[in-house]
Amino acid sequence: MSSVAPRSGSQSSIAADGYTADVAGVGATLRTLRFQGRDLVAPFDADEVRPVFRGAVLAPWPNRVVDGRYTFDGVEHELALTEPKRAHALHGLVAWTEFAVLEHEADRVVLGTTVQPQEGFPFRVEVRVEYRLDADGLHTTITGTNTGDDRAPWGTGPHPYLVAGAGSVDDWTLTLPAAEVLEVTEDRLVPTDLVPVHDEFDMRQPTSIGSRFIDHAFTGFDRDADGSAAITVTAADGHGVRVVFGEDCGWAQVHTADHVVPAYHRAALAVEPMTCAPNAFNADAFDDEVDTGLVVLEPGDAHAAAWTITAV
């Protein structure tokens, strides 16, 4: 037997109440999630380089830092541009980091790593990711703890590609109870204005996705009494998948996965609860009334965000 680790890193499997999940060490990635054998997220093989950020943990920021530049506490920082075609710093610093498995039980696994001070992000933040299954689905909690001596900017979120059932994104129905959408430039997806949902972006009632293109962040969610919001995608037979998140995630990115690779093109719907807006590290680029959700971690402080993926 080969001693070489799979390309996606160490593997941890959990199961409970009809749900199964596989978590890969690289990026603490949710590699598979199934309910009674039905895929709820787009899977990939253990010995495959994770495609298109499927299931990755995004931290210490989700989405993009425009031009890779930001100012924090009066100091200018410049990050590596990890989205070359658009010239942005994309999806944080841990998506390609091997996380250590800290705890592993039949229905639960906890992974961790530390973002070390580096050029562009001279802060030390410990990242802890818990996946837990029960009858309500897969519960994920990401906690960032500032273990350094300086204040640190922080944001996080997941990157699951949801699978409703048979067919593709074009065949599914989306319920997205958000009142506002962040408009972006067509070429580089640079945020411009936060506006009320309109036309193709108003999906507060169940709406056929069809051929519409979505790669936008939404906010202003209709929430239950406990503060939770839910985004649901269903197939023609009524089966589907739902992401439920609390007030610690004020934003969600939704993407129809338009891709040049045919196997990835509109094969699943990315639904990414986020603690902050795209480009939140540059909060001064937004109008004053926009709450970007950027968290500032004082030394020793921790911040946790959680969400649940459940079968419909």
Side-chain angles (χ1 to χ4, degrees), residues 131-170:
Y131 292 104
R132 179 176 57 84
L133 286 171
D134 64 16
D136 293 326
L138 179 69
H139 307 277
T140 306
T141 303
I142 299 178
T143 305
T145 303
N146 184 353
T147 57
D149 297 326
D150 303 303
R151 287 160 36 104
W154 170 257
T156 191
H159 204 299
Y161 281 85
L162 305 185
V163 176
S168 70
V169 166
D170 302 48

Side-chain angles (χ1 to χ4, degrees), residues 258-273:
D258 300 71
H259 204 280
V260 295
V261 178
Y264 306 152
H265 181 65
R266 300 179 74 86
L269 183 73
V271 175
E272 311 161 40

Side-chain angles (χ1 to χ4, degrees), residues 199-212:
D199 301 328
E200 70 269 29
F201 296 127
D202 188 351
M203 291 164 282
R204 288 173 285 187
Q205 299 299 317
T207 303
S208 174
I209 299 172
S211 61
R212 75 187 69 205

